[in-house]
Amino acid sequence: MIEAVLNVVVGLMIVGGAAFSLVASIGINRFPDVYCRMHAASKAGTLGSGVILLALAVHADDTATVMRAIAGFVFLLLTAPVAAHLLAKASYEAGYKLWDKSVKDEMIVKIREQKATRQHRDDV
């Protein structure tokens, strides 16, 4: 009885993770600029992969497999948002434009401040 309930929970987790991965792939194809696409890939993709890894941890009988699945989940949670942030910053500095209907560009202010600080250091 408990095994059947556990199989249903694992199945629902896998389907939920696959749904989040599907939403991430749709977001990558539908969003207008590189920054929105990166957001979809990092948020929904990480959640989808993480839920699937947690389903593996729930289903596995081996402690080593459970620990590896949990370690993979933690690794995804720690690295994917940081990587997306760094890629977005590099894309901005490389000249990729924001979507035309973007409301506010806060990075331009920071870049101007950094350039002014560098200019001041060079003058001194």
Side-chain angles (χ1 to χ4, degrees):
M1 180 66 185
I2 292 178
E3 187 174 327
V5 171
L6 194 63
N7 286 338
V8 169
V9 168
V10 168
L12 289 174
M13 288 175 75
I14 290 173
V15 169
F20 276 109
S21 296
L22 176 66
V23 168
S25 64
I26 291 170
I28 290 170
N29 288 324
R30 299 283 311 261
F31 281 153
D33 64 354
V34 68
Y35 309 105
C36 293
R37 290 179 187 140
M38 233 178 292
H39 180 76
S42 67
K43 300 287 183 185
T46 300
L47 187 60
S49 301
V51 171
I52 291 173
L53 279 172
L54 290 178
L56 169 68
V58 170
H59 183 68
D61 292 332
D62 184 21
T63 305
T65 305
V66 171
M67 294 309 291
R68 285 186 194 124
I70 292 172
F73 176 69
V74 170
F75 181 77
L76 276 173
L77 284 179
L78 294 177
T79 58
V82 174
H85 172 78
L86 293 174
L87 284 170
K89 188 173 180 184
S91 298
Y92 190 86
E93 290 178 4
Y96 286 95
K97 300 292 183 196
L98 293 172
W99 183 37
D100 294 337
K101 295 182 182 178
S102 293
V103 177
K104 192 173 185 181
D105 183 6
E106 293 180 0
M107 280 296 290
I108 194 69
V109 175
K110 290 184 180 186
I111 288 175
R112 287 179 183 159
E113 288 173 0
Q114 289 174 354
K115 285 183 181 180
T117 304
R118 285 185 201 138
Q119 188 72 291
H120 178 68
R121 277 191 252 156
D122 292 341
D123 290 342
V124 173

